[in-house]
C-alpha cells in the first residue's frame, strides 16, 4: 500500500517557473531512486530527472540547466524546480519512486501525474 501524489502543476507563461512536489506515503520501508517523467501529447513518456537516496542526480539533455531535482528523505518527498520553461515542456509530469516495503525488493510506484502547460 504505497501512494505517490504529485502537486504543483499548472499554467505558466514561457520563461516562468513552477515547482512540482511528489509525496510518497503508505507502507514504506525505504525509498531508493525517485524521479520525474513526462509525457507530451502524442509522445512517449520519457525521463526528465531522477535522484538517488544519496543525492546523485540525472537529467534529460532537454532540461539540463533549467530544471533541478531535489528530495527531502524525512518527508519522502521529491521536488522538481522548473525554471525558464518553454512551450515544449508542456506535458503531464509523473513521479516515480523505487520503494522497498518490509522484506521486499525495490519496486517502482507511480503517481497519477500533474499537468504542466507552458504558453508562448
Amino acid at each position: 500500500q504505497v501512494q505517490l501524489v504529485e502537486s504543483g502543476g499548472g499554467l505558466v507563461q514561457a520563461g516562468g517557473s513552477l515547482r512540482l512536489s511528489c509525496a510518497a506515503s503508505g507502507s514504506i520501508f525505504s525509498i531508493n531512486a525517485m524521479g520525474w517523467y513526462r509525457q507530451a501529447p502524442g509522445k512517449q513518456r520519457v525521463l526528465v530527472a531522477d535522484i538517488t537516496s544519496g543525492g546523485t542526480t540525472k537529467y534529460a539533455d532537454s532540461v539540463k540547466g533549467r530544471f533541478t531535482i531535489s528530495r527531502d528523505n524525512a518527508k519522502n518527498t521529491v521536488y522538481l524546480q522548473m525554471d525558464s520553461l518553454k512551450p515544449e515542456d508542456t506535458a503531464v509530469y509523473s513521479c516515480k519512486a523505487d520503494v522497498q516495503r518490509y522484506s521486499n525488493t525495490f519496486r517502482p510506484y507511480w503517481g497519477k501525474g500533474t499537468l504542466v502547460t507552458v504558453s508562448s
Side-chain angles (χ1 to χ4, degrees):
Q1 190 174 352
V2 175
Q3 291 182 324
L4 303 180
V5 180
E6 302 101 334
S7 62
L11 175 65
V12 66
Q13 294 184 40
S17 298
L18 286 173
R19 190 176 83 150
L20 306 182
S21 299
C22 172
S25 62
S27 301
I28 298 170
F29 183 74
S30 66
I31 301 177
N32 191 7
M34 303 183 80
W36 290 95
Y37 293 71
R38 69 185 183 189
Q39 186 168 26
K43 303 290 182 64
Q44 291 187 342
R45 179 182 288 173
V46 297
L47 174 70
V48 176
D50 67 13
I51 183 169
T52 69
S53 60
T56 301
T57 60
K58 179 171 62 180
Y59 297 92
D61 289 341
S62 59
V63 307
K64 198 168 187 177
R66 299 187 297 119
F67 291 9
T68 303
I69 190 170
S70 61
R71 64 192 287 171
D72 185 337
N73 290 331
K75 297 181 179 179
N76 290 144
T77 300
V78 63
Y79 306 93
L80 186 68
Q81 178 67 43
M82 304 186 293
D83 298 321
S84 301
L85 283 162
K86 304 175 181 179
E88 49 263 47
D89 295 319
T90 295
V92 174
Y93 285 71
S94 301
C95 173
K96 189 187 80 168
D98 296 329
V99 177
Q100 183 186 32
R101 302 175 69 187
Y102 184 72
S103 77
N104 292 105
T105 59
F106 287 97
R107 297 169 57 197
Y109 289 83
W110 290 85
K112 294 181 177 64
T114 184
L115 177 62
V116 171
T117 303
V118 184
S119 62
S120 60

